[in-house]
């Protein structure tokens, strides 16, 4: 039996969820729901499924759902889907408050439902290829900057962009943050548009994370420094370089892993977790950990 999946919210990103589910083996894209009728109907027609203007109507047709509505609506939509017994993939950030995230984690646990959060950069082939090159990180630097596109401005850049890097840094360093310093500014919106955070971890590792939606160019890069080598990941080109000492010079190994669409890998993983009832790589718990730090950074930026 194919797994019946519905997509709630088919705007910029949700249409890609719908496209991928319509192509995945063993999955049937049952329906899409979107408050914008012309948008919803267009996507339903394109991918050959039912359309509903209101998401509760879609639930009886589905075993699982992707929630790709604006971040401020994640909690209200996800709690209703979980309460209806559906497995849920909710886009990042999980919610806008820790209380809301706790509520979703609790509901998923109570109903024995899968709760996965869309931290798609975890499925970037470059990052996955780098994993075997990272042994004992001492310092991690991450940058995610892009020109202003007007998207994601219902939340601060810390929740929209930096959350990806906070989650990745936590997964690499595997230690508790003990000190955080941050700076940032509201420039084009009434939310934080640019932020830089310095995080010190219990195990002595440090991280410097930059996020901006005000840049001239687009750059998404991670660098991990450790004794005798450093590893650089280019998220856009899915490329990894490892630099290390060789004699009196510097050598560099370049890895170009097979190009794969991170979102497709993430959705395949969700389907697998639903079928095997396994814990997702980024469940509500990991997503809440990243959210907690993103909110602390936002608060620090706001205190002046
Ligand atoms: P968007 O505004 O383009 O699309 C949101 C859609 O949801 C719209 O079509 C809107 O009509 C619909 N909608 C709003 N409220 C609804 C409701 N109650 N019921 C049904 N439909 C509703 O936004 P977007 O850029 O696609 O972002 C959506 C989410 O995806 C956000 O949480 C964002 O953070 C996340 N996102 C994640 C990534 C990533 O890299 N993982 C990238 C982009 C966006």
């Amino acid at each position: 039996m194919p797994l019946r999946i519905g997509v709630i919210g088919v705007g910029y990103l949700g249409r890609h969820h719908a496209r991928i589910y319509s192509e995945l083996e063993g999955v049937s894209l049952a329906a899409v729901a979107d408050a914008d009728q012309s948008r919803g109907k267009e996507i339903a027609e394109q991918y050959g499924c039912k359309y509903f203007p209101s998401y509760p109507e879609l639930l009886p047709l589905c075993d699982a759902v992707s929630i790709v509505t604006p971040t401020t609506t994640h909690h209200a939509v996800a709690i209703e889907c979980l309460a209806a017994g559906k497995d849920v993939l909710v886009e990042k950030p999980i919610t806008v408050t820790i209380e809301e995230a706790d509520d979703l984690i609790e509901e998923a646990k109570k109903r024995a439902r899968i709760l996965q959060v869309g931290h798609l950069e975890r499925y970037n082939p470059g990052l996955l290829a780098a994993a075997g090159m990272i042994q004992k990180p001492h310092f991690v630097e991450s940058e995610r900057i892009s020109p202003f596109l007007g998207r994601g401005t219902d939340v601060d850049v810390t929740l929209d962009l930096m959350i990806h890097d906070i989650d990745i840094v936590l997964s690499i360093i595997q230690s508790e943050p003990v000190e955080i310093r941050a700076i940032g500014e509201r420039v084009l919106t009434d939310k934080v548009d640019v932020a830089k955070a310095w995080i010190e971890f219990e195990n002595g590792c440090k991280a410097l994370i930059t996020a901006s939606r005000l840049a001239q160019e687009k750059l998404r890069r991670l660098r991990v420094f450790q004794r005798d080598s450093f590893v650089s990941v280019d998220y856009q080109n899915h490329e990894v370089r490892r630099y290390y000492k060789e004699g009196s010079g510097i050598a560099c190994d370049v890895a170009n892993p097979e190009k794969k669409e991170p979102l497709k890998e993430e959705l395949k993983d969700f389907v697998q977790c639903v079928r095997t009832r396994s814990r997702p790589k980024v469940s509500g718990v990991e997503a809440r950990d990243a959210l907690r730090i993103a909110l602390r950074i936002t608060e620090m930026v706001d205190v002046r």
Side-chain angles (χ1 to χ4, degrees):
M1 276 282 282
L3 188 71
R4 301 168 309 156
I5 304 191
V7 179
I8 304 175
V10 283
Y12 164 73
L13 187 63
R15 86 171 302 150
H16 294 293
H17 281 243
R19 167 181 58 83
I20 293 168
Y21 287 133
S22 77
E23 294 165 356
L24 278 189
E25 223 167 279
V27 170
S28 150
L29 174 67
V32 298
D34 199 297
D36 176 337
Q37 297 218 8
S38 67
R39 175 76 181 178
K41 279 184 186 160
E42 178 201 325
I43 301 297
E45 238 167 64
Q46 187 171 0
Y47 298 113
C49 67
K50 290 204 162 58
Y51 161 71
F52 297 99
S54 142
Y55 68 87
E57 293 178 75
L58 150 160
L59 295 177
L61 301 184
C62 304
D63 306 305
V65 292
S66 265
I67 299 172
V68 203
T69 54
T71 299
T72 45
T73 68
H74 286 180
H75 173 260
V77 179
I79 202 81
E80 200 168 333
C81 296
L82 289 167
K86 308 303 164 188
D87 293 310
V88 165
L89 167 62
V90 62
E91 262 307 328
K92 55 48 59 181
I94 179 169
T95 52
V96 285
T97 69
I98 295 298
E99 294 71 26
E100 287 178 349
D102 281 338
D103 203 28
L104 295 190
I105 293 167
E106 198 48 45
E107 188 70 20
K109 194 172 165 198
K110 194 168 89 188
R111 310 246 174 208
R113 293 298 96 195
I114 303 293
L115 174 61
Q116 180 169 331
V117 184
H119 282 264
L120 95 175
E121 209 73 289
R122 287 273 203 122
Y123 296 86
N124 186 297
L127 183 71
L128 295 171
M133 302 175 187
I134 300 172
Q135 282 95 32
K136 210 163 176 251
H138 186 223
F139 172 48
V140 179
E141 187 174 16
S142 183
E143 289 161 283
R144 186 171 300 264
I145 64 174
S146 71
F148 187 74
L149 300 170
R151 281 203 307 267
T153 53
D154 56 332
V155 293
D156 298 281
V157 75
T158 41
L159 265 67
D160 186 36
L161 298 183
M162 194 185 269
I163 194 96
H164 284 291
D165 304 297
I166 295 170
D167 167 60
I168 288 168
V169 163
L170 288 176
S171 77
I172 291 175
I173 296 181
Q174 297 278 330
S175 176
E176 278 299 307
V178 286
E179 181 157 3
I180 301 179
R181 290 187 203 188
I183 189 157
E185 190 54 278
R186 299 183 170 105
V187 179
L188 295 182
T189 72
D190 62 351
K191 305 275 184 206
V192 175
D193 293 314
V194 55
K196 217 174 239 301
W198 173 258
I199 309 177
E200 300 189 4
F201 291 84
E202 208 168 53
N203 66 2
C205 196
K206 320 259 191 303
L208 179 63
I209 310 181
T210 303
S212 169
R213 50 190 177 207
L214 303 176
Q216 297 293 314
E217 77 276 46
K218 190 170 172 184
L219 175 72
R220 298 179 168 197
R221 183 172 66 178
L222 173 78
R223 284 184 293 177
V224 180
F225 300 87
Q226 51 197 4
R227 186 89 190 109
D228 297 330
S229 72
F230 86 87
V231 178
S232 177
V233 177
D234 175 345
Y235 290 112
Q236 289 177 95
N237 299 312
H238 301 180
E239 190 187 273
V240 190
R241 288 170 187 265
R242 186 173 80 92
Y243 297 88
Y244 52 98
K245 279 191 288 184
E246 198 171 61
S248 56
I250 303 165
C252 175
D253 294 338
V254 182
N256 284 300
E258 189 191 340
K259 293 242 187 294
K260 289 185 180 168
E261 185 182 1
L263 184 61
K264 187 169 186 180
E265 297 307 299
E266 177 190 284
L267 300 191
K268 276 162 67 179
D269 205 26
F270 175 56
V271 169
Q272 179 72 2
C273 288
V274 168
R275 287 209 177 281
T276 58
R277 310 311 296 165
S278 343
R279 192 180 194 282
K281 199 191 283 210
V282 184
S283 74
V285 172
E286 289 76 17
R288 179 190 55 194
D289 289 347
L291 177 66
R292 182 172 284 122
I293 294 176
L295 290 173
R296 273 174 66 193
I297 292 168
T298 314
E299 266 170 35
M300 288 180 162
V301 168
D302 272 353
V303 175
R304 266 188 273 155

